Amino acid sequence: MKVLKFGGTSVGSAARMQKLLDIINPNERRIVVLSAMSGTTNSLVEIGQAYLTSDKAKAASLISSLKQQYEAVVKQLFSNPEYQAQAKEVIDHHFGLLSGFANDLFTSIEDKIILAQGELLSTTLYHIYLKEIGVPSVLLPALDFMRIDEDNEPIVDHITTHLQPILDKHADVNLFITQGFICRNAFGEIDNLRRGGSDYTASLIGAGIHAEEVQIWTDIDGMHNNDPRIVNNTKPIAQLSFDEAAELAYFGAKILHPQSVFPAQKYKIPVRLLNTMDPQAAGTLITNTSEKDKIKSIAAKDGITAIKIQSSRMLLAHGFLRRVFEVFERYRTSIDMITTSEVAVSLTIDDTTYLDEINKELGKFGTVDVDINHTIICVVGDFAAEKNGYAARVLDAIKHVPVRMISYGGSDHNLSLLVKTEQKTEVLRSLHSRLF
Ligand code: ASP
Ligand code: MG
């Protein structure tokens, strides 16, 4: 069994949905995970916001324009009036539910129900389309098997015990369709795996049923060795290890949801990143093996704030870092990069929600400097600790640019640099021309 996930643009129009079967190959057993049609989740977020701020008129107008888009899709997707009527009923049901929230108390629970409608719509419409063209398939409700615990961690066992029996029951069916992104939480309420979470769904299902392979279909031919929007002549990376893929996904390569690497890694399920627009392209294969001694890719993450705490009290003292970290823990703010000297520690965060509070508390330990508008540049590859030259090559390529922080040796796969965001383009291009 393979798990194939198609993102928002891959199901972004009726024409796109009609093309999916060319890729899916329903002669073999597959679970197809679909995102919401592109733009839908953003619209649902806006609808939720409108309700949360009690702007019912705005919610109503957003709902009606989104509904019109779906009505147009239904007209194009179906040719048989019987299936068109079924699809119309589905749309009326989901949009009726969205409108119905105007009459009730609106909390974050209702908000999450709203966010779930995009994937419910795309999968149900696609399922009806398969019926129309006579391809047998089973629609699997993700809410029946995808669950997160009290810490918002997905429960892989729950997938195994709740999904596998359904698959076994339908031994004669090849094609299963299900929703990405959505799940139930520890209270049984409808919840989700965070934005971009459909990749995570695919990887979790792959882990839960010990799939042969997970394929993530997007609109680019794999993970590239640099940001193609900024640098010319970037190339898809043929092979990555799970660790390398995790670093790249976290530090800026937008193509894959960072957490989705871990279930596949733990259960040793290969992940392939493939391009719906160019299905023959090789894409990127992510497995347990890393190619030795190779610089693989460069990625950048913007919106980084650097914080430096300088204190002579740190000199020869123990427990200082613990106290610093505890401040970040109290404000649930995660640290990306860290460098220390004997009298100072510099670290970076990307979530500045509690920056003022953190700043104030850190002020008790020493002098605090905050620098906003920075970018982490992350060079990923296999840097065997006993080999020399990697750091020198990287730093040599950017010797004309001021560097705020350098982090190397945290893992064998990553060298990170912190620079001003205004220098990002220059750094990405220089590194690209010197390293590849
Ligand atoms: N539809 C969700 C989002 O836009 C999940 C996904 O597409 O991966 O974030
Ligand atoms: Mg995505």
Side-chain angles (χ1 to χ4, degrees):
M1 178 80 88
K2 288 184 181 165
V3 181
L4 278 66
K5 177 262 173 176
F6 292 93
T9 45
S10 304
V11 291
S13 66
R16 284 300 196 70
M17 287 200 200
Q18 285 158 342
K19 282 227 152 73
L20 282 191
L21 267 192
D22 297 349
I23 291 173
I24 292 173
N25 179 13
N27 300 321
E28 288 174 20
R29 290 200 105 200
R30 272 122 175 48
I31 297 180
V32 171
V33 176
L34 300 182
S35 291
M37 296 181 77
S38 51
T40 297
T41 310
N42 287 343
S43 301
L44 294 172
V45 168
E46 283 186 65
I47 293 166
Q49 281 300 326
Y51 277 132
L52 282 170
T53 54
S54 304
D55 193 344
K56 290 183 188 174
K58 185 169 177 198
S61 101
L62 289 165
I63 291 168
S64 117
S65 65
L66 188 62
K67 186 173 182 195
Q68 278 168 26
Q69 286 176 34
Y70 275 85
E71 283 166 345
V73 168
V74 164
K75 281 206 186 99
Q76 291 156 6
L77 186 57
F78 301 94
S79 32
N80 181 329
E82 184 191 328
Y83 294 103
Q84 200 159 78
Q86 273 188 32
K88 184 76 183 59
E89 234 172 81
V90 167
I91 289 184
D92 288 343
H93 166 76
H94 289 279
F95 284 88
L97 186 122
L98 292 178
S99 306
F101 288 118
N103 313 319
D104 285 324
L105 182 70
F106 195 81
T107 69
S108 65
I109 296 177
E110 286 73 26
D111 195 31
K112 286 173 180 166
I113 298 175
I114 288 188
L115 289 187
Q117 302 309 307
E119 273 71 11
L120 291 168
L121 275 162
S122 63
T123 49
T124 313
L125 293 177
Y126 190 61
H127 179 62
I128 299 173
Y129 169 72
L130 290 174
K131 278 202 274 185
E132 182 185 273
I133 62 168
V135 173
S137 72
V138 171
L139 184 62
L140 303 168
L143 298 177
D144 289 355
F145 59 82
M146 194 59 73
R147 198 173 258 269
I148 50 177
D149 63 18
E150 294 83 352
D151 301 317
N152 294 330
E153 286 299 325
I155 311 168
V156 173
D157 280 352
H158 193 83
I159 301 172
T160 313
T161 52
H162 288 74
L163 176 56
Q164 193 61 55
I166 311 178
L167 300 177
D168 295 343
K169 196 174 102 192
H170 295 285
D172 54 332
V173 179
N174 277 342
L175 191 50
F176 298 86
I177 313 294
T178 193
Q179 301 83 28
F181 179 58
I182 65 175
C183 62
R184 286 193 191 275
N185 61 25
F187 308 103
E189 298 153 359
I190 294 181
D191 210 317
N192 61 66
L193 304 173
R194 313 272 174 86
R195 293 305 305 271
S198 294
D199 299 345
Y200 202 13
T201 299
S203 170
L204 288 162
I205 291 178
I209 63 158
H210 301 281
E212 188 188 325
E213 180 174 293
V214 172
Q215 300 180 352
I216 308 286
W217 289 85
T218 59
D219 46 12
I220 179 165
D221 49 354
M223 220 183 252
H224 276 226
N225 62 356
N226 205 327
D227 188 336
R229 292 163 304 184
I230 296 178
V231 179
N232 293 329
N233 304 320
T234 62
K235 288 202 188 73
I237 311 164
Q239 198 274 332
L240 282 172
S241 70
F242 287 114
D243 288 329
E244 291 164 343
E247 303 263 17
L248 284 173
Y250 184 72
F251 285 109
K254 285 278 171 291
I255 172 169
L256 188 66
H257 183 280
Q259 276 165 304
S260 61
V261 175
F262 301 116
Q265 178 168 34
K266 184 164 172 203
Y267 292 82
K268 300 192 176 63
I269 319 284
V271 176
R272 246 179 236 283
L273 308 179
L274 295 157
N275 186 358
T276 324
M277 317 285 187
D278 184 6
Q280 300 311 320
T284 300
L285 176 63
I286 307 170
T287 62
N288 254 334
T289 38
S290 66
E291 293 176 276
K292 293 288 164 225
D293 289 345
K294 242 182 137 173
I295 293 182
K296 285 301 200 43
S297 179
I298 303 161
K301 187 176 182 190
D302 292 332
I304 302 294
T305 298
I307 303 173
K308 182 164 77 190
I309 309 123
Q310 200 153 3
S311 164
S312 52
R313 268 189 286 161
M314 197 176 160
L315 198 66
L316 300 176
H318 53 80
F320 185 82
L321 282 179
R322 176 178 53 76
R323 274 176 283 146
V324 168
F325 285 150
E326 275 169 359
V327 173
F328 289 88
E329 194 184 344
R330 269 201 293 288
Y331 292 101
R332 293 177 155 270
T333 301
S334 70
I335 296 169
D336 284 328
M337 246 178 111
I338 168 157
T339 57
T340 66
S341 82
E342 196 48 48
V343 289
V345 47
S346 269
L347 40 81
T348 70
I349 59 173
D350 65 349
D351 178 359
T352 52
T353 316
Y354 298 107
L355 183 59
D356 289 342
E357 290 85 343
I358 290 172
N359 208 344
K360 209 163 140 202
E361 291 208 27
L362 292 176
K364 295 177 198 155
F365 305 142
T367 321
V368 181
D369 290 310
V370 174
D371 289 317
I372 58 167
N373 293 335
H374 276 65
T375 293
I376 293 178
I377 309 283
C378 166
V379 180
V380 164
D382 183 84
F383 309 136
E386 65 280 4
K387 283 272 175 78
N388 51 3
Y390 297 113
R393 277 174 71 195
V394 171
L395 294 178
D396 191 54
I398 55 154
K399 60 183 172 216
H400 55 298
V401 179
V403 177
R404 170 75 170 74
M405 281 168 72
I406 300 171
S407 170
Y408 179 55
S411 79
D412 286 348
H413 304 288
N414 173 327
L415 190 161
S416 297
L417 307 159
L418 186 72
V419 297
K420 287 210 172 97
T421 299
E422 64 203 45
Q423 305 276 12
K424 170 172 97 168
T425 301
E426 174 56 27
V427 171
L428 288 179
R429 289 180 182 161
S430 294
L431 286 172
H432 198 78
S433 65
R434 300 286 290 274
L435 296 183
F436 300 126

